[in-house]
Amino acid sequence: MSDDYQPQSAVAKWIDKRLPIVTLFSGHLMQFPTPKNLNYWWTFGGILTFCLITQIITGLVLAMHYIADANLAFASVEHIMRDVNYGWLLRYIHATGASMFFIAVYLHMARSLFYGSYKEPRELIWIIGVFIFLLMVATAFMGYVLPWGQMSFWGATVITNLFSAVPFFGEAITNWLWGDYSVSGALLTRFFTLHYLMPFLIFGLVILHIWALHVPGNNNPEGIDVVKGQDTVPFHPHYVVKDVLALVVFMIIFAGFVFFSPNILGHSDNYIQANPLQTPEHIVPEWYFLPFYAILRAIPDKLGGVIAMVSAIAILAFIPWLDSSKVRSCKYRPLYRQFYWILIIDFIVLGYLGAQPATGIYLILGRLATLYYFLHFILVMPLIGYIEKPKPLPKSISEPVLSKEEQLAKSGQMA
Amino acid sequence: MDTKKDIDAADAKVTRRDFLYLTTGSFTAVGAGALAWPFISQMNPDASVKALASTEVDLSPIMPGQSITILWRGKPVFVRRRTEEEIAEAQAVEQIDLPDPETDETRVQKPEWLVMVGVCTHLGCIPLGNKGEYNGWFCPCHGSHYDTSGRIRKGPAPKNLEIPNYVFLNDNTIKIG
């Protein structure tokens, strides 16, 4: 493009010839041609980057005060809350930030599913995304263990015991994970180390995610290929401004949780110090794990439950090949769109059931919801591609907008 | 529309957009500063440290010519009950000779009791008592000599030994900090 970055000063030219970093950032964050019809569902990429950086910075600061020791961890978290200057704020940002991160990532994934952003040629972006999600799950779980409260301890016990379902080697694997014969300080220190490491692995994957995205460019609400130049606008200022506006709204909600109800998304039992001799009456994971927790409990078999739960995430990686339709956007898929919303409701229902006791009607509903979750991907997605007659696709991304304006002009004349 | 255009033309120097830029920029700068402050402030001494920032010392067991060292804010504090000769020696010094001129009177509340932070003002080592050419303290690290009032007399240290804030709670007890 003609307005590519051209170094002006002698120093800038000298640097750019040896390390074209400004050219790189300018090309990918300023000039990058972006479809001009992206809606606000496309702002979650920027929001998620903000979430990751917020978690890394607040986490770094918390690690300056936290002590990863079974006898001292709980007290050190209270020390952060009571003694450290603004420690309460930093911890609440970090804890709430985890929830906000998952809200954003679920919406980001729902966007990709609706508009078919996982389809050719963007399969690898999606698969990298699934791995990022998997790392987020692991990081969030390990972070929740660090305060060493009752929920931390028993959450760690339940989740690490999942590995005991492995035939023959189960006990050896759990003992290896624990570094002990039960959950103890040895697990706490290794979880702290890994919790510190994983965000940087996520950061690396995010770079690959964006790199892979910038090869074909963004998908768009119409789901059709765009013509560069005619259908695109430079990322800056158009989408920088749009992303920032969405980010500010997101930050207002974030701040609302941090300042007015920082504990609403957590569990009060985690303010009781870990006690290896007493399990809390009702164990629930953090809200963002509830759908997967419901799937785990729906299967009346130890190994089966674990396999189902892991599969629930793993199956996402295969979606690009499970979906047989050539049409990307659900806007033009009248039949699949219905099932898309059923899947979304199913996932929310699973989340609700995960928080309920696994008995009676809840268990039956949990099994039905789990069944649909898997059927959606294994059966519905491949079949509908053959059955469905998609609506005619527009010739360009401008067409739906222009025809809408024309219609408006006509109705205006009539009125 | 025409009147609006006229107004815009008249105020062409300051536009609505300039105002928006300035207000947005200012709010962003103030917001960023407010957000950055907790991240900076969290490294300052916290409430648990501040709660331990003062120390009481019982003076009754200290005989003339003896000194004790106590820990205050992680640093040694020398409390010395000086003899008559030491006081006389400290008071007799000509101010003009000193690198950091201070009279002995300004350095003590009661001449008998000398209370000072036992950290050499050169590079932070702890000076040794009853040593040096001036019968006071001597720093083994780089050879600074302090007199019986803790004033620097010879060597690389630039300042006299620091006097902490302290009060006599009664004749036999002081509170430092």
Side-chain angles (χ1 to χ4, degrees):
Chain A
M1 273 199 289
S2 56
D3 52 359
D4 276 350
Y5 169 75
Q6 295 293 338
Q8 298 299 319
S9 72
V11 176
K13 279 177 187 158
W14 188 90
I15 292 172
D16 209 67
K17 195 172 176 186
R18 287 155 180 82
L19 181 72
I21 188 164
V22 183
T23 302
L24 181 80
F25 280 100
S26 166
H28 285 278
L29 298 175
M30 307 277 281
Q31 270 92 39
F32 188 72
T34 317
K36 60 186 177 185
N37 61 340
L38 299 189
N39 57 33
Y40 276 102
W41 294 106
W42 261 265
T43 58
F44 285 99
I47 287 170
L48 285 163
T49 311
F50 165 80
C51 285
L52 178 60
I53 292 169
T54 303
Q55 292 303 86
I56 288 178
I57 293 174
T58 52
L60 193 78
V61 163
L62 288 171
M64 293 181 188
H65 304 281
Y66 172 77
I67 302 166
D69 179 287
N71 294 316
L72 302 171
F74 189 81
S76 79
V77 172
E78 285 312 302
H79 164 72
I80 289 169
M81 294 300 289
R82 292 156 193 242
D83 296 338
V84 174
N85 303 320
Y86 296 100
W88 59 273
L89 177 63
L90 299 165
R91 175 164 173 262
Y92 279 154
I93 292 176
H94 197 71
T96 309
S99 284
M100 297 306 290
F101 208 156
F102 275 95
I103 290 173
V105 86
Y106 281 135
L107 291 173
H108 190 65
M109 291 162 82
R111 190 284 320 270
S112 297
L113 280 175
F114 187 86
Y115 292 111
S117 301
Y118 50 86
K119 289 188 200 182
E120 199 271 320
R122 297 184 182 80
E123 303 95 322
L124 209 49
I125 310 172
W126 170 262
I127 290 169
I128 294 168
V130 173
F131 278 100
I132 293 175
F133 178 68
L134 206 59
L135 274 180
M136 277 176 64
V137 168
T139 310
F141 161 65
M142 290 181 184
Y144 194 59
V145 173
L146 302 185
W148 213 237
Q150 274 289 67
M151 280 294 165
S152 302
F153 185 90
W154 292 101
T157 303
V158 169
I159 300 299
T160 49
N161 262 312
L162 295 178
F163 292 92
S164 69
V166 175
F168 306 114
F169 306 106
E171 199 185 331
I173 292 172
T174 43
N175 287 346
W176 175 75
L177 282 174
W178 292 334
D180 201 330
Y181 301 103
S182 63
V183 171
S184 71
L187 183 81
L188 178 62
T189 45
R190 61 190 63 175
F191 269 19
F192 177 61
T193 309
L194 294 172
H195 182 70
Y196 205 120
L197 165 75
M198 284 188 172
F200 297 100
L201 299 181
I202 293 176
F203 198 89
L205 283 183
V206 166
I207 290 172
L208 295 186
H209 195 60
I210 295 171
W211 185 5
L213 169 71
H214 281 204
V215 176
N218 293 78
N219 184 27
N220 66 79
E222 306 305 318
I224 57 173
D225 292 330
V226 295
V227 182
K228 197 174 154 184
Q230 178 192 320
D231 291 339
T232 61
V233 288
F235 186 75
H236 180 78
H238 298 84
Y239 285 107
V240 169
V241 170
K242 191 161 184 157
D243 279 359
V244 166
L245 177 60
L247 180 61
V248 167
V249 173
F250 183 81
M251 285 164 89
I252 290 170
I253 299 167
F254 195 150
F257 277 118
V258 168
F259 290 106
F260 293 104
S261 55
N263 289 309
I264 199 170
L265 299 166
H267 199 292
S268 52
D269 271 4
N270 220 27
Y271 284 103
I272 303 168
Q273 191 166 4
N275 179 359
L277 299 178
Q278 192 188 19
T279 306
E281 216 167 282
H282 188 44
I283 279 261
V284 276
E286 291 282 79
W287 70 266
Y288 36 82
F289 294 147
L290 289 175
F292 301 104
Y293 192 57
I295 291 172
L296 169 75
R297 299 192 307 183
I299 312 293
D301 174 77
K302 189 174 176 180
L303 182 59
V306 176
I307 290 174
M309 188 177 70
V310 175
S311 308
I313 296 178
I315 200 165
L316 297 175
F318 298 95
I319 287 180
W321 296 279
L322 289 170
D323 187 347
S324 56
S325 173
K326 292 274 178 288
V327 178
R328 293 196 191 106
S329 174
C330 273
K331 273 177 93 172
Y332 302 99
R333 301 188 61 191
L335 187 57
Y336 179 70
R337 190 164 60 202
Q338 323 278 336
F339 287 95
Y340 170 83
W341 288 112
I342 293 174
L343 177 72
I344 298 292
I345 293 164
D346 186 66
F347 193 68
I348 293 168
V349 166
L350 277 170
Y352 169 75
L353 295 171
Q356 305 306 319
T359 49
I361 183 74
Y362 296 125
L363 192 59
I364 296 164
L365 286 174
R367 284 177 184 160
L368 288 174
T370 301
L371 184 68
Y372 181 77
Y373 181 88
F374 285 106
L375 281 185
H376 180 95
F377 296 117
I378 296 169
L379 209 64
V380 175
M381 264 192 163
L383 276 186
I384 285 189
Y386 298 105
I387 300 168
E388 183 180 56
K389 186 174 182 296
K391 289 185 192 169
L393 292 174
K395 287 185 188 66
S396 80
I397 61 172
S398 308
E399 197 183 281
V401 184
L402 286 177
S403 57
K404 213 184 283 175
E405 276 175 4
E406 280 158 14
Q407 280 163 12
L408 276 176
K410 271 178 195 165
S411 63
Q413 277 168 1
M414 280 194 283
Chain B
M1 280 305 281
D2 284 338
T3 50
K4 189 182 169 293
K5 264 184 192 165
D6 291 343
I7 293 165
D8 284 352
D11 293 23
K13 278 179 189 164
V14 183
T15 63
R16 183 188 298 241
R17 179 150 296 199
D18 290 335
F19 175 75
L20 286 173
Y21 268 133
L22 274 174
T23 44
T24 310
S26 319
F27 270 84
T28 309
V30 171
L35 192 63
W37 176 243
F39 290 86
I40 297 162
S41 175
Q42 55 87 19
M43 280 173 56
N44 274 323
D46 65 35
S48 67
V49 172
K50 283 179 182 162
L52 300 174
S54 62
T55 305
E56 286 182 19
V57 186
D58 178 14
L59 302 177
S60 54
I62 309 169
M63 294 294 121
Q66 289 186 328
S67 64
I68 60 163
T69 304
I70 55 142
L71 196 66
W72 172 70
R73 293 187 182 175
K75 290 182 282 197
V77 170
F78 298 151
V79 179
R80 183 170 180 83
R81 189 169 180 179
R82 297 191 293 185
T83 59
E84 292 297 329
E85 301 87 74
E86 286 171 346
I87 297 171
E89 199 180 325
Q91 288 175 345
V93 174
E94 288 287 336
Q95 294 300 309
I96 205 150
D97 297 344
L98 300 178
D100 181 15
E102 252 186 321
T103 62
D104 188 57
E105 286 76 23
T106 60
R107 292 180 57 79
V108 290
Q109 292 179 18
K110 295 182 179 177
E112 198 179 14
W113 295 103
L114 178 64
V115 179
M116 56 189 187
V117 177
V119 174
C120 181
T121 57
H122 182 221
L123 291 169
C125 296
I126 301 173
L128 305 167
N130 296 321
K131 287 246 163 60
E133 292 174 19
Y134 296 87
N135 205 17
W137 284 264
F138 171 71
C139 183
C141 290
H142 303 94
S144 292
H145 298 259
Y146 297 90
D147 66 13
T148 55
S149 188
R151 289 171 297 201
I152 179 65
R153 300 298 288 271
K154 189 180 166 189
K159 296 269 186 194
N160 302 332
L161 291 176
E162 187 195 338
I163 307 294
N165 286 324
Y166 67 95
V167 286
F168 276 88
L169 297 176
N170 56 48
D171 280 351
N172 283 325
T173 315
I174 57 167
K175 185 184 164 196
I176 306 172

